[in-house]
Amino acid sequence: MKIQRRNKANPEFSLAAMTDVILLMLIFFMITSSAANQSAIDVKLPKAGAVEDNIPNPLTVSIKPDGSYFVDDNPVTREQLESIIVSKLTGQTNKSFTIRADENTMHKDVVFVMEIAEKNKFNIAIATVKDK
């Protein structure tokens, strides 16, 4: 005598719902990653002819035309700048930062930040905008 089970497991599995969720997650992460690198410090970046895409650095130093410094949108004094940069990059695998200097910033202010990078063996990138 053959006994049949009443509740048979359905071996079919629909991937439609999972595909929708993955697509929505992809869209969410694409939008948030492009907005995450925006800075609130208003500086007019100098123009460059050939601009290559690069890897975003974990730290940004902004310099306004009046000589004021900002580390990740937080104002710092000239005397505090080096210690803050060193403390933020300690333990990082990518010991580099981006300099966002206004096109009207004094050259000496940019060189000061570059000297900090040279002294501590940090890599730097200088932010520019593409020339139209």
Side-chain angles (χ1 to χ4, degrees):
M1 181 154 93
K2 188 174 181 183
I3 301 174
Q4 291 189 353
R5 295 171 48 189
R6 292 183 191 175
N7 297 332
K8 289 187 178 181
N10 188 1
E12 296 177 18
F13 183 72
S14 174
L15 291 176
M18 188 179 297
T19 305
D20 291 343
V21 169
I22 291 175
L23 181 65
L24 287 173
M25 287 175 53
L26 177 68
I27 292 170
F28 173 76
F29 287 122
M30 287 175 57
I31 291 172
T32 57
S33 68
S34 66
N37 204 10
Q38 300 294 328
S39 178
I41 306 302
D42 184 31
V43 292
K44 293 180 184 175
L45 297 175
K47 294 181 175 33
V51 177
E52 296 180 19
D53 292 336
N54 59 359
I55 299 169
N57 290 319
L59 185 69
T60 302
V61 177
S62 301
I63 310 169
K64 295 195 75 160
D66 61 357
S68 56
Y69 296 96
F70 297 85
V71 176
D72 287 339
D73 300 340
N74 298 319
V76 296
T77 63
R78 185 179 177 101
E79 295 78 26
Q80 297 173 326
L81 186 62
E82 182 173 3
S83 63
I84 291 174
I85 291 173
V86 170
S87 67
K88 287 195 180 255
L89 291 179
T90 302
Q92 294 278 338
T93 56
N94 182 16
K95 293 192 182 276
S96 63
F97 62 92
T98 302
I99 299 173
R100 294 184 70 246
D102 191 278
E103 62 186 7
N104 297 318
T105 299
M106 299 281 286
H107 186 69
K108 66 177 180 148
D109 295 327
V110 178
V111 170
F112 175 72
V113 178
M114 293 171 82
E115 286 174 346
I116 292 172
E118 176 65 27
K119 185 168 120 179
N120 295 290
K121 305 290 188 233
F122 296 145
N123 295 323
I124 59 171
I126 298 177
T128 59
V129 291
K130 188 179 260 187
D131 193 15
K132 293 180 182 177

